[in-house]
Amino acid sequence: MSCNLDHVLYDKRNLSDSEKEDEAIRFARRYHDDIAGFLDFICHSLFSVMGTRKETWQFIETGDNSLQRHSNLGTLFAPN
C-alpha cells in the first residue's frame, strides 16, 4: 500500500504512534458494521488501483506511483 497504510486509508503521512492508534480506532468504528461501505472504500476510492495482479503492480511500479496514494488491495475483493 503506497508509502504506508496511514497514507492510503486516512490520506495522512508520518503520524505519531498515538495518532496512528486514534485513526485506526476511528477506522475500525466506522467500518465495524459496514462491510459494504468498507468494500466500496477499498475498491472505489481515488487511491484504488483495480485490474489483474499483473496490471496493478505494473501501474504501482511505474514512475513514482509507489510513492503516491495507491493500493491494489481492492483486487482481493473483486469478483474474478
Short mmCIF file of all heavy atoms in Angstrom, two decimals, residues 3-29:
data_model
loop_
_atom_site.label_atom_id
_atom_site.label_comp_id
_atom_site.label_asym_id
_atom_site.label_seq_id
_atom_site.Cartn_x
_atom_site.Cartn_y
_atom_site.Cartn_z
N CYS A 3 2.97 4.54 0.27
CA CYS A 3 4.07 4.78 1.22
C CYS A 3 3.83 4.03 2.52
O CYS A 3 4.72 3.46 3.10
CB CYS A 3 4.20 6.27 1.52
SG CYS A 3 4.80 7.23 0.15
N ASN A 4 2.61 4.08 2.99
CA ASN A 4 2.24 3.38 4.22
C ASN A 4 0.72 3.30 4.35
O ASN A 4 -0.02 3.96 3.63
CB ASN A 4 2.88 4.03 5.45
CG ASN A 4 2.50 5.48 5.60
OD1 ASN A 4 1.33 5.82 5.60
ND2 ASN A 4 3.49 6.35 5.73
N LEU A 5 0.29 2.50 5.26
CA LEU A 5 -1.14 2.28 5.48
C LEU A 5 -1.87 3.58 5.81
O LEU A 5 -2.97 3.82 5.32
CB LEU A 5 -1.33 1.25 6.60
CG LEU A 5 -2.74 0.80 6.90
CD1 LEU A 5 -3.35 0.10 5.69
CD2 LEU A 5 -2.73 -0.13 8.10
N ASP A 6 -1.26 4.41 6.63
CA ASP A 6 -1.89 5.68 7.02
C ASP A 6 -2.16 6.56 5.80
O ASP A 6 -3.18 7.23 5.72
CB ASP A 6 -1.01 6.45 8.00
CG ASP A 6 -0.61 5.64 9.20
OD1 ASP A 6 -1.42 4.79 9.63
OD2 ASP A 6 0.52 5.83 9.69
N HIS A 7 -1.23 6.56 4.89
CA HIS A 7 -1.37 7.37 3.69
C HIS A 7 -2.57 6.91 2.87
O HIS A 7 -3.39 7.72 2.43
CB HIS A 7 -0.08 7.29 2.86
CG HIS A 7 -0.04 8.23 1.71
ND1 HIS A 7 0.69 7.98 0.59
CD2 HIS A 7 -0.62 9.43 1.50
CE1 HIS A 7 0.56 8.97 -0.26
NE2 HIS A 7 -0.25 9.87 0.26
N VAL A 8 -2.70 5.60 2.68
CA VAL A 8 -3.81 5.08 1.88
C VAL A 8 -5.14 5.25 2.60
O VAL A 8 -6.08 5.82 2.06
CB VAL A 8 -3.59 3.59 1.53
CG1 VAL A 8 -4.82 2.99 0.88
CG2 VAL A 8 -2.39 3.44 0.61
N LEU A 9 -5.25 4.76 3.81
CA LEU A 9 -6.54 4.74 4.50
C LEU A 9 -7.02 6.11 4.96
O LEU A 9 -8.22 6.39 4.90
CB LEU A 9 -6.49 3.79 5.70
CG LEU A 9 -6.23 2.32 5.37
CD1 LEU A 9 -6.28 1.50 6.65
CD2 LEU A 9 -7.22 1.79 4.35
N TYR A 10 -6.11 6.95 5.44
CA TYR A 10 -6.53 8.23 6.03
C TYR A 10 -6.03 9.44 5.26
O TYR A 10 -6.35 10.57 5.63
CB TYR A 10 -6.02 8.34 7.47
CG TYR A 10 -6.02 7.05 8.24
CD1 TYR A 10 -4.87 6.58 8.86
CD2 TYR A 10 -7.18 6.27 8.35
CE1 TYR A 10 -4.86 5.40 9.57
CE2 TYR A 10 -7.17 5.08 9.05
CZ TYR A 10 -6.01 4.65 9.66
OH TYR A 10 -6.00 3.47 10.35
N ASP A 11 -5.23 9.24 4.23
CA ASP A 11 -4.60 10.31 3.46
C ASP A 11 -3.77 11.22 4.37
O ASP A 11 -3.78 12.44 4.25
CB ASP A 11 -5.64 11.13 2.68
CG ASP A 11 -5.01 11.94 1.57
OD1 ASP A 11 -3.85 11.67 1.19
OD2 ASP A 11 -5.68 12.87 1.06
N LYS A 12 -3.05 10.58 5.29
CA LYS A 12 -2.16 11.29 6.21
C LYS A 12 -0.83 10.55 6.24
O LYS A 12 -0.78 9.34 6.14
CB LYS A 12 -2.75 11.33 7.62
CG LYS A 12 -4.06 12.09 7.69
CD LYS A 12 -4.63 12.07 9.08
CE LYS A 12 -5.95 12.84 9.13
NZ LYS A 12 -6.53 12.80 10.47
N ARG A 13 0.24 11.30 6.39
CA ARG A 13 1.58 10.70 6.43
C ARG A 13 2.29 11.06 7.73
O ARG A 13 2.01 12.09 8.33
CB ARG A 13 2.44 11.22 5.28
CG ARG A 13 1.94 10.84 3.93
CD ARG A 13 2.92 11.31 2.89
NE ARG A 13 2.33 11.29 1.56
CZ ARG A 13 3.00 11.50 0.46
NH1 ARG A 13 4.28 11.77 0.51
NH2 ARG A 13 2.41 11.47 -0.70
N ASN A 14 3.22 10.20 8.09
CA ASN A 14 4.13 10.47 9.21
C ASN A 14 3.40 10.75 10.52
O ASN A 14 3.77 11.66 11.27
CB ASN A 14 5.08 11.61 8.86
CG ASN A 14 5.85 11.34 7.59
OD1 ASN A 14 6.35 10.24 7.39
ND2 ASN A 14 5.91 12.32 6.71
N LEU A 15 2.38 9.94 10.80
CA LEU A 15 1.66 10.09 12.06
C LEU A 15 2.48 9.55 13.22
O LEU A 15 3.25 8.59 13.06
CB LEU A 15 0.33 9.33 11.99
CG LEU A 15 -0.68 9.77 10.94
CD1 LEU A 15 -1.92 8.88 10.99
CD2 LEU A 15 -1.08 11.21 11.15
N SER A 16 2.28 10.13 14.38
CA SER A 16 2.89 9.59 15.59
C SER A 16 2.19 8.27 15.94
O SER A 16 1.11 7.98 15.42
CB SER A 16 2.75 10.58 16.74
OG SER A 16 1.38 10.67 17.12
N ASP A 17 2.77 7.50 16.82
CA ASP A 17 2.13 6.24 17.23
C ASP A 17 0.75 6.50 17.81
O ASP A 17 -0.20 5.74 17.56
CB ASP A 17 3.01 5.50 18.24
CG ASP A 17 4.26 4.91 17.60
OD1 ASP A 17 4.34 4.84 16.35
OD2 ASP A 17 5.16 4.51 18.36
N SER A 18 0.62 7.54 18.57
CA SER A 18 -0.67 7.89 19.18
C SER A 18 -1.71 8.26 18.11
O SER A 18 -2.87 7.83 18.18
CB SER A 18 -0.48 9.06 20.16
OG SER A 18 -1.72 9.47 20.68
N GLU A 19 -1.29 9.04 17.13
CA GLU A 19 -2.19 9.41 16.04
C GLU A 19 -2.59 8.20 15.22
O GLU A 19 -3.75 8.07 14.80
CB GLU A 19 -1.52 10.45 15.14
CG GLU A 19 -1.35 11.80 15.81
CD GLU A 19 -0.44 12.72 15.00
OE1 GLU A 19 0.58 12.26 14.45
OE2 GLU A 19 -0.77 13.93 14.95
N LYS A 20 -1.64 7.28 14.99
CA LYS A 20 -1.95 6.05 14.25
C LYS A 20 -3.01 5.25 14.99
O LYS A 20 -3.95 4.74 14.38
CB LYS A 20 -0.70 5.19 14.08
CG LYS A 20 0.30 5.72 13.09
CD LYS A 20 1.55 4.86 13.08
CE LYS A 20 2.64 5.47 12.26
NZ LYS A 20 2.82 4.85 10.98
N GLU A 21 -2.86 5.15 16.29
CA GLU A 21 -3.83 4.42 17.09
C GLU A 21 -5.21 5.08 17.04
O GLU A 21 -6.22 4.40 16.86
CB GLU A 21 -3.35 4.32 18.54
CG GLU A 21 -4.23 3.45 19.39
CD GLU A 21 -3.67 3.21 20.78
OE1 GLU A 21 -2.48 3.52 21.04
OE2 GLU A 21 -4.44 2.72 21.62
N ASP A 22 -5.25 6.40 17.16
CA ASP A 22 -6.52 7.13 17.09
C ASP A 22 -7.21 6.91 15.74
O ASP A 22 -8.42 6.67 15.68
CB ASP A 22 -6.31 8.63 17.32
CG ASP A 22 -5.89 8.96 18.75
OD1 ASP A 22 -6.06 8.11 19.65
OD2 ASP A 22 -5.38 10.09 18.96
N GLU A 23 -6.45 7.01 14.67
CA GLU A 23 -7.02 6.82 13.33
C GLU A 23 -7.50 5.39 13.14
O GLU A 23 -8.56 5.16 12.55
CB GLU A 23 -5.99 7.18 12.25
CG GLU A 23 -5.67 8.65 12.15
CD GLU A 23 -6.83 9.51 11.67
OE1 GLU A 23 -7.78 8.98 11.06
OE2 GLU A 23 -6.78 10.72 11.90
N ALA A 24 -6.74 4.42 13.63
CA ALA A 24 -7.13 3.01 13.50
C ALA A 24 -8.43 2.74 14.25
O ALA A 24 -9.31 2.03 13.75
CB ALA A 24 -6.02 2.11 14.01
N ILE A 25 -8.58 3.32 15.42
CA ILE A 25 -9.81 3.15 16.19
C ILE A 25 -10.99 3.77 15.45
O ILE A 25 -12.06 3.17 15.34
CB ILE A 25 -9.64 3.74 17.61
CG1 ILE A 25 -8.68 2.86 18.41
CG2 ILE A 25 -10.99 3.86 18.31
CD1 ILE A 25 -8.22 3.48 19.71
N ARG A 26 -10.81 4.97 14.92
CA ARG A 26 -11.88 5.63 14.15
C ARG A 26 -12.26 4.79 12.93
O ARG A 26 -13.44 4.61 12.62
CB ARG A 26 -11.44 7.03 13.70
CG ARG A 26 -11.76 8.11 14.70
CD ARG A 26 -11.62 9.50 14.08
NE ARG A 26 -10.23 9.91 13.91
CZ ARG A 26 -9.48 10.43 14.88
NH1 ARG A 26 -9.96 10.59 16.08
NH2 ARG A 26 -8.24 10.79 14.63
N PHE A 27 -11.25 4.27 12.24
CA PHE A 27 -11.49 3.46 11.05
C PHE A 27 -12.26 2.19 11.42
O PHE A 27 -13.23 1.82 10.75
CB PHE A 27 -10.16 3.11 10.38
CG PHE A 27 -10.30 2.46 9.04
CD1 PHE A 27 -10.45 3.24 7.90
CD2 PHE A 27 -10.27 1.09 8.90
CE1 PHE A 27 -10.57 2.65 6.65
CE2 PHE A 27 -10.40 0.48 7.66
CZ PHE A 27 -10.55 1.27 6.53
N ALA A 28 -11.83 1.53 12.47
CA ALA A 28 -12.50 0.29 12.90
C ALA A 28 -13.94 0.57 13.31
O ALA A 28 -14.85 -0.20 12.96
CB ALA A 28 -11.73 -0.32 14.06
N ARG A 29 -14.17 1.65 14.00
CA ARG A 29 -15.55 2.01 14.40
C ARG A 29 -16.40 2.33 13.18
O ARG A 29 -17.57 1.96 13.12
CB ARG A 29 -15.53 3.19 15.36
CG ARG A 29 -15.07 2.81 16.73
CD ARG A 29 -15.13 3.98 17.69
NE ARG A 29 -14.71 3.56 19.01
CZ ARG A 29 -14.15 4.35 19.90
NH1 ARG A 29 -13.95 5.63 19.63
NH2 ARG A 29 -13.79 3.88 21.08
#
